[in-house]
Amino acid sequence: MECVKEIIDPGKLNGIIRLPQKMKKRKVEVIVLPADEPIEESTVQAKLRAVEELNGLIADQSKEKLDEFDNIISRRINLRKTAVEL
């Protein structure tokens, strides 16, 4: 996605954008993005969505499967000394 980013004197924005008083005395950064292009999903958002989907899959499992899953994870994470109660 193409964008324009510029640091400018806030006086250039008079009549375009109303700024809070605090911002009128400092330089501001203006970022312009096209309104018709969809915003791409960030990596963090994608990871959070994947974790939510995984949580849904895990919640549907039996107690035995959850215990097995926790046992496997406990072996892979060296910091964990005891299993987590699910």
Side-chain angles (χ1 to χ4, degrees), residues 5-31:
K5 181 172 134 177
E6 191 174 327
I7 296 175
I8 64 168
D9 178 42
K12 292 182 177 182
L13 297 174
N14 286 341
I16 300 171
I17 299 174
R18 281 186 269 157
L19 294 174
Q21 280 301 120
K22 291 179 183 178
M23 288 187 171
K24 290 182 179 180
K25 298 175 184 173
R26 304 168 63 187
K27 292 208 178 267
V28 295
E29 182 175 26
V30 177
I31 301 172

Side-chain angles (χ1 to χ4, degrees), residues 9-71:
D9 178 42
K12 292 182 177 182
L13 297 174
N14 286 341
I16 300 171
I17 299 174
R18 281 186 269 157
L19 294 174
Q21 280 301 120
K22 291 179 183 178
M23 288 187 171
K24 290 182 179 180
K25 298 175 184 173
R26 304 168 63 187
K27 292 208 178 267
V28 295
E29 182 175 26
V30 177
I31 301 172
V32 180
L33 300 168
D36 58 348
E37 287 186 32
I39 297 174
E40 295 174 14
E41 185 176 43
S42 73
T43 304
V44 172
Q45 289 171 329
K47 287 180 181 178
L48 288 174
R49 190 171 40 78
V51 167
E52 287 176 8
E53 290 173 5
L54 179 61
N55 284 339
L57 293 172
I58 291 172
D60 293 340
Q61 300 299 315
S62 66
K63 172 91 170 101
E64 292 79 23
K65 289 283 187 185
L66 290 173
D67 288 342
E68 181 183 339
F69 176 78
D70 185 57
N71 189 18

